[in-house]
Amino acid sequence: LWVSGVLVSVGPRVALAHEESTSHGACQVAGADFTCTAVVGARDWIEAVGVDEDKDDRISEAEFSRAQGRITSVVSLSYDVWSGGERCSVATAETTFAGAETTTAVRFRCPGEIARLKVDVRLFREQAFRHTHVAKIEVGGRTHTAAFLRGASAFESDAGLSPQVFGFLKLGITHLFLGIDHILILLAL
């Protein structure tokens, strides 16, 4: 009960753990092609690229149209994709906008049929806010889930489970200990 009182007294001061953002995506392998779709909230583009020209805290269709090339470039350049030790290159990339989020589809062409896959996503790592990109990656008939955040390992299809587990553990621990409300709840336990 006293924890509730403390949390209410914290009032409008938002916990730091809630100043983070998350994007999500899905990726799959087909021969020598690796295709990823990244869904990113419009708010992230306002903070990262400055697309909100009229400063109304939302992105209009016109603002998106003017920034579409920049957004597509930021997403496609944030992916590092390797197959068998050789870098894959961007073949096509396109971004669409639906009010609260953008969806960017990027197709990478690898030098040969994809065998050992290594992927790193550096989306918004240079920004002041904390960002995590979570992706489902289909390769070799298996579906993996990977969290891409600052200081985390890249996804490697033959690395086993532990790098991904540590990425999610780091994400959870960071989230818990950066928010005063979470710390107070842990102390109350």
Side-chain angles (χ1 to χ4, degrees):
L1 190 59
W2 67 271
V3 171
S4 299
V6 171
L7 289 176
V8 169
S9 71
V10 170
R13 289 176 287 208
V14 178
L16 287 175
H18 298 286
E19 293 176 1
E20 56 195 37
S21 69
T22 304
S23 57
H24 62 91
C27 305
Q28 60 187 14
V29 171
D33 288 342
F34 181 68
T35 304
C36 287
T37 302
V39 180
V40 179
R43 183 93 187 125
D44 291 335
W45 293 118
I46 291 171
E47 294 180 34
V49 183
V51 297
D52 183 21
E53 298 162 355
D54 58 8
K55 308 290 186 230
D56 64 351
D57 264 349
R58 63 180 199 82
I59 301 174
S60 67
E61 286 287 338
E63 289 168 326
F64 169 74
S65 293
R66 288 188 290 277
Q68 185 175 12
R70 277 187 296 157
I71 291 170
T72 302
S73 179
V74 167
V75 173
S76 62
L77 293 175
S78 71
Y79 280 81
D80 279 329
V81 180
W82 299 78
S83 173
E86 295 186 59
R87 189 179 189 103
C88 305
S89 58
V90 174
T92 61
E94 181 181 359
T95 302
T96 57
F97 175 65
E101 59 191 22
T102 63
T103 302
T104 303
V106 184
R107 184 173 59 85
F108 296 88
R109 178 57 105 167
C110 299
E113 189 159 327
I114 296 173
R116 289 185 343 264
L117 180 68
K118 180 178 178 180
V119 179
D120 192 14
V121 182
R122 299 175 324 280
L123 190 60
F124 302 134
R125 282 195 190 162
E126 312 308 316
Q127 301 303 318
F129 61 92
R130 290 178 306 283
H131 184 83
T132 302
H133 183 73
V134 177
K136 288 192 181 234
I137 302 173
E138 293 180 24
V139 59
R142 295 180 56 206
T143 301
H144 308 269
T145 303
F148 300 96
L149 60 156
R150 288 184 190 158
S153 301
F155 168 81
E156 294 189 49
S157 62
D158 57 356
L161 186 61
S162 58
Q164 289 123 39
V165 169
F166 287 121
F168 281 105
L169 273 173
K170 180 179 179 182
L171 179 63
I173 290 168
T174 301
H175 179 83
L176 284 175
F177 286 107
L178 287 179
I180 188 70
D181 56 338
H182 297 108
I183 293 170
L184 290 172
I185 290 170
L186 289 174
L187 289 173
L189 297 175

